[in-house]
mmCIF file of all heavy atoms in Angstrom:
data_model
loop_
_atom_site.group_PDB
_atom_site.id
_atom_site.type_symbol
_atom_site.label_atom_id
_atom_site.label_comp_id
_atom_site.label_asym_id
_atom_site.label_seq_id
_atom_site.Cartn_x
_atom_site.Cartn_y
_atom_site.Cartn_z
ATOM 1 N N MET A 1 -4.571 1.437 -27.419
ATOM 2 C CA MET A 1 -3.716 2.612 -27.226
ATOM 3 C C MET A 1 -3.625 2.964 -25.742
ATOM 4 O O MET A 1 -4.617 3.004 -25.036
ATOM 5 C CB MET A 1 -4.344 3.787 -27.998
ATOM 6 C CG MET A 1 -3.599 5.085 -27.848
ATOM 7 S SD MET A 1 -4.555 6.416 -28.630
ATOM 8 C CE MET A 1 -4.535 7.619 -27.342
ATOM 9 N N GLN A 3 -2.486 5.676 -22.787
ATOM 10 C CA GLN A 3 -2.124 7.043 -22.451
ATOM 11 C C GLN A 3 -1.078 6.980 -21.338
ATOM 12 O O GLN A 3 -1.317 6.409 -20.286
ATOM 13 C CB GLN A 3 -3.397 7.762 -21.976
ATOM 14 C CG GLN A 3 -3.176 9.102 -21.349
ATOM 15 C CD GLN A 3 -2.494 10.089 -22.270
ATOM 16 O OE1 GLN A 3 -1.287 10.300 -22.204
ATOM 17 N NE2 GLN A 3 -3.267 10.665 -23.175
ATOM 18 N N GLN A 4 0.103 7.549 -21.557
ATOM 19 C CA GLN A 4 1.143 7.460 -20.528
ATOM 20 C C GLN A 4 1.028 8.558 -19.471
ATOM 21 O O GLN A 4 1.530 8.412 -18.376
ATOM 22 C CB GLN A 4 2.544 7.536 -21.157
ATOM 23 C CG GLN A 4 2.983 6.239 -21.820
ATOM 24 C CD GLN A 4 4.503 6.094 -21.876
ATOM 25 O OE1 GLN A 4 5.202 6.449 -20.951
ATOM 26 N NE2 GLN A 4 4.983 5.556 -22.973
ATOM 27 N N VAL A 9 -5.564 12.244 -18.094
ATOM 28 C CA VAL A 9 -6.752 11.576 -17.549
ATOM 29 C C VAL A 9 -7.479 12.507 -16.589
ATOM 30 O O VAL A 9 -8.708 12.570 -16.563
ATOM 31 C CB VAL A 9 -6.348 10.282 -16.816
ATOM 32 C CG1 VAL A 9 -7.555 9.621 -16.174
ATOM 33 C CG2 VAL A 9 -5.669 9.328 -17.777
ATOM 34 N N TYR A 10 -6.692 13.247 -15.794
ATOM 35 C CA TYR A 10 -7.299 14.136 -14.811
ATOM 36 C C TYR A 10 -8.045 15.293 -15.485
ATOM 37 O O TYR A 10 -8.964 15.870 -14.904
ATOM 38 C CB TYR A 10 -6.240 14.665 -13.837
ATOM 39 C CG TYR A 10 -5.651 13.573 -12.956
ATOM 40 C CD1 TYR A 10 -4.500 13.789 -12.220
ATOM 41 C CD2 TYR A 10 -6.260 12.328 -12.854
ATOM 42 C CE1 TYR A 10 -3.960 12.790 -11.411
ATOM 43 C CE2 TYR A 10 -5.734 11.327 -12.059
ATOM 44 C CZ TYR A 10 -4.588 11.560 -11.338
ATOM 45 O OH TYR A 10 -4.068 10.580 -10.547
ATOM 46 N N SER A 14 -15.035 13.228 -18.101
ATOM 47 C CA SER A 14 -15.920 12.057 -18.076
ATOM 48 C C SER A 14 -15.423 10.982 -17.103
ATOM 49 O O SER A 14 -16.120 10.017 -16.831
ATOM 50 C CB SER A 14 -16.046 11.455 -19.479
ATOM 51 O OG SER A 14 -14.873 10.747 -19.822
ATOM 52 N N ASP A 16 -14.717 9.685 -13.496
ATOM 53 C CA ASP A 16 -15.154 10.000 -12.132
ATOM 54 C C ASP A 16 -14.136 9.578 -11.088
ATOM 55 O O ASP A 16 -14.038 10.192 -10.027
ATOM 56 C CB ASP A 16 -16.465 9.265 -11.819
ATOM 57 C CG ASP A 16 -17.555 9.643 -12.776
ATOM 58 O OD1 ASP A 16 -17.824 10.848 -12.904
ATOM 59 O OD2 ASP A 16 -18.139 8.738 -13.411
ATOM 60 N N ALA A 17 -13.429 8.478 -11.362
ATOM 61 C CA ALA A 17 -12.553 7.910 -10.342
ATOM 62 C C ALA A 17 -11.314 7.328 -11.000
ATOM 63 O O ALA A 17 -11.350 6.924 -12.161
ATOM 64 C CB ALA A 17 -13.281 6.812 -9.571
ATOM 65 N N VAL A 18 -10.216 7.305 -10.249
ATOM 66 C CA VAL A 18 -8.997 6.664 -10.741
ATOM 67 C C VAL A 18 -8.559 5.594 -9.757
ATOM 68 O O VAL A 18 -8.805 5.688 -8.558
ATOM 69 C CB VAL A 18 -7.849 7.677 -10.973
ATOM 70 C CG1 VAL A 18 -8.210 8.648 -12.066
ATOM 71 C CG2 VAL A 18 -7.476 8.403 -9.700
ATOM 72 N N SER A 19 -7.924 4.567 -10.296
ATOM 73 C CA SER A 19 -7.452 3.450 -9.499
ATOM 74 C C SER A 19 -5.945 3.404 -9.716
ATOM 75 O O SER A 19 -5.479 3.144 -10.819
ATOM 76 C CB SER A 19 -8.141 2.179 -10.011
ATOM 77 O OG SER A 19 -8.208 1.193 -9.022
ATOM 78 N N ALA A 21 -2.299 2.182 -9.517
ATOM 79 C CA ALA A 21 -1.469 0.981 -9.363
ATOM 80 C C ALA A 21 -0.076 1.235 -9.925
ATOM 81 O O ALA A 21 0.573 0.340 -10.449
ATOM 82 C CB ALA A 21 -2.126 -0.203 -10.063
ATOM 83 N N THR A 22 0.361 2.478 -9.804
ATOM 84 C CA THR A 22 1.709 2.851 -10.227
ATOM 85 C C THR A 22 2.704 2.378 -9.164
ATOM 86 O O THR A 22 2.308 1.915 -8.102
ATOM 87 C CB THR A 22 1.807 4.382 -10.297
ATOM 88 O OG1 THR A 22 1.617 4.894 -8.969
ATOM 89 C CG2 THR A 22 0.758 4.986 -11.213
ATOM 90 N N GLU A 44 -3.360 1.911 -4.412
ATOM 91 C CA GLU A 44 -2.676 0.684 -4.007
ATOM 92 C C GLU A 44 -1.832 0.958 -2.761
ATOM 93 O O GLU A 44 -1.429 2.089 -2.490
ATOM 94 C CB GLU A 44 -1.805 0.232 -5.198
ATOM 95 C CG GLU A 44 -1.257 -1.156 -5.129
ATOM 96 C CD GLU A 44 -2.308 -2.178 -4.749
ATOM 97 O OE1 GLU A 44 -3.267 -2.400 -5.509
ATOM 98 O OE2 GLU A 44 -2.138 -2.763 -3.664
ATOM 99 N N PRO A 118 14.730 2.545 -22.503
ATOM 100 C CA PRO A 118 14.129 1.874 -23.665
ATOM 101 C C PRO A 118 13.136 2.779 -24.388
ATOM 102 O O PRO A 118 12.485 3.625 -23.764
ATOM 103 C CB PRO A 118 13.402 0.678 -23.059
ATOM 104 C CG PRO A 118 13.954 0.527 -21.689
ATOM 105 C CD PRO A 118 14.401 1.878 -21.251
ATOM 106 N N LEU A 121 9.263 4.356 -23.317
ATOM 107 C CA LEU A 121 9.094 4.686 -21.907
ATOM 108 C C LEU A 121 9.430 6.152 -21.686
ATOM 109 O O LEU A 121 10.522 6.604 -22.008
ATOM 110 C CB LEU A 121 10.016 3.822 -21.036
ATOM 111 C CG LEU A 121 10.063 4.209 -19.540
ATOM 112 C CD1 LEU A 121 8.709 3.968 -18.879
ATOM 113 C CD2 LEU A 121 11.152 3.442 -18.806
ATOM 114 N N TRP A 126 7.895 8.593 -15.628
ATOM 115 C CA TRP A 126 7.930 7.415 -14.751
ATOM 116 C C TRP A 126 8.587 7.792 -13.422
ATOM 117 O O TRP A 126 8.113 7.438 -12.352
ATOM 118 C CB TRP A 126 8.685 6.266 -15.422
ATOM 119 C CG TRP A 126 8.614 4.968 -14.659
ATOM 120 C CD1 TRP A 126 7.691 3.964 -14.828
ATOM 121 C CD2 TRP A 126 9.494 4.529 -13.605
ATOM 122 N NE1 TRP A 126 7.944 2.947 -13.938
ATOM 123 C CE2 TRP A 126 9.041 3.267 -13.184
ATOM 124 C CE3 TRP A 126 10.611 5.089 -12.986
ATOM 125 C CZ2 TRP A 126 9.664 2.539 -12.163
ATOM 126 C CZ3 TRP A 126 11.237 4.365 -11.956
ATOM 127 C CH2 TRP A 126 10.760 3.103 -11.564
ATOM 128 N N VAL A 140 12.722 -1.520 -13.348
ATOM 129 C CA VAL A 140 11.478 -1.692 -14.095
ATOM 130 C C VAL A 140 11.437 -3.111 -14.643
ATOM 131 O O VAL A 140 12.360 -3.525 -15.332
ATOM 132 C CB VAL A 140 11.410 -0.697 -15.265
ATOM 133 C CG1 VAL A 140 10.115 -0.868 -16.032
ATOM 134 C CG2 VAL A 140 11.551 0.739 -14.762
ATOM 135 N N HIS A 141 10.398 -3.889 -14.425
ATOM 136 C CA HIS A 141 9.277 -3.715 -13.518
ATOM 137 C C HIS A 141 9.582 -4.276 -12.140
ATOM 138 O O HIS A 141 10.540 -4.978 -11.956
ATOM 139 C CB HIS A 141 8.054 -4.481 -14.059
ATOM 140 C CG HIS A 141 7.315 -3.773 -15.150
ATOM 141 N ND1 HIS A 141 6.876 -2.479 -15.054
ATOM 142 C CD2 HIS A 141 6.931 -4.197 -16.366
ATOM 143 C CE1 HIS A 141 6.230 -2.146 -16.157
ATOM 144 N NE2 HIS A 141 6.257 -3.164 -16.979
ATOM 145 N N ASP A 265 -15.369 -8.051 -0.923
ATOM 146 C CA ASP A 265 -15.018 -7.394 -2.190
ATOM 147 C C ASP A 265 -14.652 -5.936 -1.934
ATOM 148 O O ASP A 265 -15.527 -5.091 -1.753
ATOM 149 C CB ASP A 265 -16.170 -7.514 -3.188
ATOM 150 C CG ASP A 265 -15.749 -7.114 -4.602
ATOM 151 O OD1 ASP A 265 -14.837 -6.255 -4.735
ATOM 152 O OD2 ASP A 265 -16.334 -7.651 -5.566
ATOM 153 N N LEU A 268 -15.754 -3.479 -4.741
ATOM 154 C CA LEU A 268 -17.195 -3.208 -4.634
ATOM 155 C C LEU A 268 -17.455 -2.183 -3.525
ATOM 156 O O LEU A 268 -18.243 -1.254 -3.702
ATOM 157 C CB LEU A 268 -17.948 -4.513 -4.347
ATOM 158 C CG LEU A 268 -19.463 -4.369 -4.116
ATOM 159 C CD1 LEU A 268 -20.151 -3.817 -5.368
ATOM 160 C CD2 LEU A 268 -20.080 -5.710 -3.724
ATOM 161 N N ARG A 275 -20.543 5.769 -5.404
ATOM 162 C CA ARG A 275 -21.931 5.984 -5.853
ATOM 163 C C ARG A 275 -22.706 6.819 -4.858
ATOM 164 O O ARG A 275 -23.436 7.728 -5.220
ATOM 165 C CB ARG A 275 -22.643 4.640 -6.009
ATOM 166 C CG ARG A 275 -22.335 3.932 -7.290
ATOM 167 C CD ARG A 275 -23.613 3.399 -7.939
ATOM 168 N NE ARG A 275 -23.256 2.835 -9.238
ATOM 169 C CZ ARG A 275 -22.847 1.583 -9.377
ATOM 170 N NH1 ARG A 275 -22.756 0.775 -8.346
ATOM 171 N NH2 ARG A 275 -22.520 1.147 -10.569
ATOM 172 N N ALA B 20 2.524 -3.185 -24.318
ATOM 173 C CA ALA B 20 2.143 -2.315 -23.209
ATOM 174 C C ALA B 20 2.831 -2.699 -21.911
ATOM 175 O O ALA B 20 3.214 -1.856 -21.128
ATOM 176 C CB ALA B 20 0.634 -2.349 -23.021
ATOM 177 N N ALA B 21 2.979 -3.983 -21.697
ATOM 178 C CA ALA B 21 3.355 -4.422 -20.354
ATOM 179 C C ALA B 21 4.810 -4.153 -20.022
ATOM 180 O O ALA B 21 5.150 -3.936 -18.880
ATOM 181 C CB ALA B 21 3.068 -5.904 -20.200
ATOM 182 N N LEU B 22 5.654 -4.176 -21.012
ATOM 183 C CA LEU B 22 7.079 -4.201 -20.710
ATOM 184 C C LEU B 22 7.523 -2.998 -19.891
ATOM 185 O O LEU B 22 8.096 -3.151 -18.836
ATOM 186 C CB LEU B 22 7.905 -4.301 -22.001
ATOM 187 C CG LEU B 22 9.409 -4.419 -21.742
ATOM 188 C CD1 LEU B 22 9.723 -5.646 -20.898
ATOM 189 C CD2 LEU B 22 10.179 -4.461 -23.045
ATOM 190 N N LEU B 23 7.229 -1.803 -20.365
ATOM 191 C CA LEU B 23 7.821 -0.659 -19.697
ATOM 192 C C LEU B 23 6.894 0.526 -19.475
ATOM 193 O O LEU B 23 7.078 1.258 -18.516
ATOM 194 C CB LEU B 23 9.033 -0.177 -20.504
ATOM 195 C CG LEU B 23 10.209 -1.147 -20.465
ATOM 196 C CD1 LEU B 23 11.222 -0.773 -21.522
ATOM 197 C CD2 LEU B 23 10.858 -1.156 -19.100
ATOM 198 N N MET B 25 4.586 3.281 -18.387
ATOM 199 C CA MET B 25 4.057 3.480 -17.044
ATOM 200 C C MET B 25 4.042 4.972 -16.755
ATOM 201 O O MET B 25 5.057 5.614 -16.976
ATOM 202 C CB MET B 25 4.942 2.743 -16.061
ATOM 203 C CG MET B 25 4.607 2.932 -14.610
ATOM 204 S SD MET B 25 3.078 2.188 -14.198
ATOM 205 C CE MET B 25 3.652 0.557 -13.755
ATOM 206 N N PRO B 26 3.027 5.575 -16.261
ATOM 207 C CA PRO B 26 1.753 4.898 -16.026
ATOM 208 C C PRO B 26 0.949 4.764 -17.314
ATOM 209 O O PRO B 26 1.081 5.584 -18.209
ATOM 210 C CB PRO B 26 1.050 5.832 -15.047
ATOM 211 C CG PRO B 26 1.648 7.166 -15.307
ATOM 212 C CD PRO B 26 3.027 6.956 -15.809
ATOM 213 N N ILE B 28 -3.010 3.975 -18.925
ATOM 214 C CA ILE B 28 -4.372 4.300 -18.523
ATOM 215 C C ILE B 28 -5.365 3.373 -19.209
ATOM 216 O O ILE B 28 -5.377 3.276 -20.429
ATOM 217 C CB ILE B 28 -4.726 5.742 -18.945
ATOM 218 C CG1 ILE B 28 -3.622 6.712 -18.577
ATOM 219 C CG2 ILE B 28 -6.067 6.141 -18.366
ATOM 220 C CD1 ILE B 28 -3.242 6.778 -17.154
ATOM 221 N N PHE B 34 -21.223 0.452 -14.516
ATOM 222 C CA PHE B 34 -22.600 0.897 -14.705
ATOM 223 C C PHE B 34 -23.469 0.624 -13.499
ATOM 224 O O PHE B 34 -23.446 -0.448 -12.936
ATOM 225 C CB PHE B 34 -23.217 0.197 -15.916
ATOM 226 C CG PHE B 34 -22.595 0.633 -17.212
ATOM 227 C CD1 PHE B 34 -21.651 -0.151 -17.838
ATOM 228 C CD2 PHE B 34 -22.943 1.841 -17.795
ATOM 229 C CE1 PHE B 34 -21.070 0.249 -19.022
ATOM 230 C CE2 PHE B 34 -22.374 2.248 -18.977
ATOM 231 C CZ PHE B 34 -21.434 1.447 -19.592
ATOM 232 N N GLY B 35 -24.219 1.586 -13.082
ATOM 233 C CA GLY B 35 -25.252 1.387 -12.076
ATOM 234 C C GLY B 35 -26.596 1.384 -12.766
ATOM 235 O O GLY B 35 -26.666 1.389 -13.986
ATOM 236 N N LYS B 39 -23.500 5.870 -13.921
ATOM 237 C CA LYS B 39 -22.344 5.023 -14.135
ATOM 238 C C LYS B 39 -21.111 5.736 -13.598
ATOM 239 O O LYS B 39 -21.030 6.963 -13.607
ATOM 240 C CB LYS B 39 -22.178 4.679 -15.621
ATOM 241 C CG LYS B 39 -21.844 5.867 -16.491
ATOM 242 C CD LYS B 39 -21.727 5.443 -17.935
ATOM 243 C CE LYS B 39 -21.398 6.643 -18.820
ATOM 244 N NZ LYS B 39 -21.331 6.284 -20.234
ATOM 245 N N ARG B 41 -17.201 6.126 -14.058
ATOM 246 C CA ARG B 41 -16.096 5.838 -14.993
ATOM 247 C C ARG B 41 -14.791 5.825 -14.224
ATOM 248 O O ARG B 41 -14.428 6.810 -13.585
ATOM 249 C CB ARG B 41 -16.048 6.891 -16.097
ATOM 250 C CG ARG B 41 -17.105 6.677 -17.182
ATOM 251 C CD ARG B 41 -17.083 7.775 -18.224
ATOM 252 N NE ARG B 41 -15.810 7.935 -18.915
ATOM 253 C CZ ARG B 41 -15.369 7.149 -19.898
ATOM 254 N NH1 ARG B 41 -16.085 6.119 -20.281
ATOM 255 N NH2 ARG B 41 -14.215 7.393 -20.481
ATOM 256 N N VAL B 42 -14.092 4.704 -14.302
ATOM 257 C CA VAL B 42 -12.842 4.539 -13.562
ATOM 258 C C VAL B 42 -11.683 4.391 -14.537
ATOM 259 O O VAL B 42 -11.753 3.618 -15.484
ATOM 260 C CB VAL B 42 -12.891 3.287 -12.664
ATOM 261 C CG1 VAL B 42 -11.600 3.160 -11.861
ATOM 262 C CG2 VAL B 42 -14.082 3.331 -11.731
ATOM 263 N N ALA B 43 -10.610 5.138 -14.295
ATOM 264 C CA ALA B 43 -9.365 4.973 -15.058
ATOM 265 C C ALA B 43 -8.353 4.275 -14.158
ATOM 266 O O ALA B 43 -8.137 4.690 -13.017
ATOM 267 C CB ALA B 43 -8.823 6.329 -15.490
ATOM 268 N N VAL B 44 -7.759 3.201 -14.654
ATOM 269 C CA VAL B 44 -6.733 2.497 -13.887
ATOM 270 C C VAL B 44 -5.372 3.005 -14.340
ATOM 271 O O VAL B 44 -5.037 2.943 -15.520
ATOM 272 C CB VAL B 44 -6.835 0.973 -14.079
ATOM 273 C CG1 VAL B 44 -5.702 0.266 -13.333
ATOM 274 C CG2 VAL B 44 -8.180 0.468 -13.581
ATOM 275 N N LEU B 45 -4.603 3.527 -13.403
ATOM 276 C CA LEU B 45 -3.279 4.085 -13.710
ATOM 277 C C LEU B 45 -2.222 3.056 -13.362
ATOM 278 O O LEU B 45 -2.053 2.699 -12.194
ATOM 279 C CB LEU B 45 -3.035 5.362 -12.909
ATOM 280 C CG LEU B 45 -4.156 6.407 -12.921
ATOM 281 C CD1 LEU B 45 -3.739 7.642 -12.125
ATOM 282 C CD2 LEU B 45 -4.508 6.797 -14.340
ATOM 283 N N ASN B 48 0.787 -2.836 -15.003
ATOM 284 C CA ASN B 48 1.579 -4.026 -14.693
ATOM 285 C C ASN B 48 0.919 -4.715 -13.490
ATOM 286 O O ASN B 48 -0.153 -4.305 -13.075
ATOM 287 C CB ASN B 48 3.031 -3.619 -14.399
ATOM 288 C CG ASN B 48 3.945 -4.825 -14.363
ATOM 289 O OD1 ASN B 48 3.859 -5.688 -15.220
ATOM 290 N ND2 ASN B 48 4.800 -4.891 -13.367
ATOM 291 N N ARG B 50 -0.157 -4.993 -10.225
ATOM 292 C CA ARG B 50 -1.293 -4.572 -9.419
ATOM 293 C C ARG B 50 -2.408 -3.993 -10.286
ATOM 294 O O ARG B 50 -3.585 -4.134 -9.965
ATOM 295 C CB ARG B 50 -0.884 -3.534 -8.372
ATOM 296 C CG ARG B 50 0.125 -4.018 -7.353
ATOM 297 C CD ARG B 50 -0.316 -5.257 -6.611
ATOM 298 N NE ARG B 50 -1.617 -5.126 -5.989
ATOM 299 C CZ ARG B 50 -2.372 -6.153 -5.623
ATOM 300 N NH1 ARG B 50 -1.992 -7.376 -5.846
ATOM 301 N NH2 ARG B 50 -3.523 -5.948 -5.042
ATOM 302 N N GLY B 51 -2.038 -3.304 -11.378
ATOM 303 C CA GLY B 51 -3.046 -2.708 -12.248
ATOM 304 C C GLY B 51 -3.942 -3.766 -12.865
ATOM 305 O O GLY B 51 -5.151 -3.579 -12.986
ATOM 306 N N HIS B 54 -6.361 -4.688 -10.360
ATOM 307 C CA HIS B 54 -7.421 -3.676 -10.248
ATOM 308 C C HIS B 54 -8.463 -3.879 -11.341
ATOM 309 O O HIS B 54 -9.662 -3.878 -11.076
ATOM 310 C CB HIS B 54 -6.837 -2.271 -10.390
ATOM 311 C CG HIS B 54 -6.102 -1.789 -9.159
ATOM 312 N ND1 HIS B 54 -6.048 -0.464 -8.803
ATOM 313 C CD2 HIS B 54 -5.410 -2.464 -8.219
ATOM 314 C CE1 HIS B 54 -5.333 -0.338 -7.687
ATOM 315 N NE2 HIS B 54 -4.923 -1.533 -7.320
ATOM 316 N N TYR B 58 -12.527 -4.708 -10.954
ATOM 317 C CA TYR B 58 -13.710 -3.988 -11.454
ATOM 318 C C TYR B 58 -14.521 -4.863 -12.396
ATOM 319 O O TYR B 58 -15.745 -4.802 -12.411
ATOM 320 C CB TYR B 58 -13.303 -2.682 -12.145
ATOM 321 C CG TYR B 58 -12.649 -1.700 -11.195
ATOM 322 C CD1 TYR B 58 -11.305 -1.355 -11.322
ATOM 323 C CD2 TYR B 58 -13.363 -1.137 -10.133
ATOM 324 C CE1 TYR B 58 -10.692 -0.487 -10.429
ATOM 325 C CE2 TYR B 58 -12.769 -0.270 -9.238
ATOM 326 C CZ TYR B 58 -11.433 0.060 -9.385
ATOM 327 O OH TYR B 58 -10.827 0.909 -8.497
ATOM 328 N N LEU B 61 -17.115 -7.118 -10.828
ATOM 329 C CA LEU B 61 -18.356 -6.542 -10.319
ATOM 330 C C LEU B 61 -19.443 -6.689 -11.369
ATOM 331 O O LEU B 61 -19.170 -6.639 -12.562
ATOM 332 C CB LEU B 61 -18.166 -5.054 -9.997
ATOM 333 C CG LEU B 61 -17.091 -4.745 -8.942
ATOM 334 C CD1 LEU B 61 -16.939 -3.247 -8.779
ATOM 335 C CD2 LEU B 61 -17.458 -5.387 -7.620
ATOM 336 N N LEU B 69 -9.158 3.475 -23.534
ATOM 337 C CA LEU B 69 -9.112 4.903 -23.933
ATOM 338 C C LEU B 69 -8.049 5.097 -25.003
ATOM 339 O O LEU B 69 -6.931 4.675 -24.822
ATOM 340 C CB LEU B 69 -8.779 5.750 -22.708
ATOM 341 C CG LEU B 69 -8.784 7.271 -22.920
ATOM 342 C CD1 LEU B 69 -10.196 7.799 -22.995
ATOM 343 C CD2 LEU B 69 -8.035 7.960 -21.783
#
Side-chain angles (χ1 to χ4, degrees):
Chain A
M1 178 187 131
Q3 169 59 262
Q4 283 206 39
V9 177
Y10 294 166
S14 75
D16 301 305
V18 296
S19 205
T22 64
E44 193 48 65
L121 172 66
W126 187 92
V140 180
H141 280 308
D265 192 330
L268 176 62
R275 279 226 175 87
Chain B
L22 184 59
L23 291 167
M25 175 68 89
I28 313 302
F34 292 101
K39 66 181 180 182
R41 282 177 58 78
V42 182
V44 177
L45 312 182
N48 192 45
R50 298 304 306 160
H54 284 211
Y58 296 113
L61 300 176
L69 184 76

